[in-house]
Amino acid sequence: IPEAEELEENVPFTQYIPYVKVCFRYIHNNPNSAGLVDNPEEWYYSSAPDYAGVRNENICNYALTERLLGITRLGKASRPPRR
């Protein structure tokens, strides 16, 4: 896993996609790992509810995430997460 200062400008971003996916999942799972919620999508201050399809705040660029990382949104928002 590269440190920020180790990233080279002339290396294609695609080389780092596996690492970025790990970061994406790690960040979304942090509140759950810390015992603050039972499920990542319950954490109001995260985009996890948006990607889980339980909220639609329009703050996420789903198309870009899918194109760059292959991570897709699970569904359409039908209920807000618990606060």
Side-chain angles (χ1 to χ4, degrees), residues 28 37 39-44 46 48-50 52 54 79 81-82:
H28 280 167
V37 292
N39 299 298
E41 61 270 8
E42 294 174 356
W43 190 246
Y44 180 78
S46 170
D50 300 293
V54 298
R79 63 178 170 81
R82 290 179 269 157

Side-chain angles (χ1 to χ4, degrees), residues 47-59:
S47 60
D50 300 293
Y51 280 96
V54 298
R55 180 180 70 187
N56 188 14
E57 293 290 327
N58 295 320
I59 60 170

Side-chain angles (χ1 to χ4, degrees), residues 13-56:
F13 173 78
T14 54
Q15 175 181 334
Y16 302 108
I17 287 176
Y19 173 67
V20 174
K21 284 182 177 181
V22 169
C23 293
F24 183 91
R25 291 186 180 103
Y26 174 82
I27 290 167
H28 280 167
N29 286 316
N30 263 342
N32 178 255
S33 299
L36 299 171
V37 292
D38 291 328
N39 299 298
E41 61 270 8
E42 294 174 356
W43 190 246
Y44 180 78
Y45 303 102
S46 170
S47 60
D50 300 293
Y51 280 96
V54 298
R55 180 180 70 187
N56 188 14

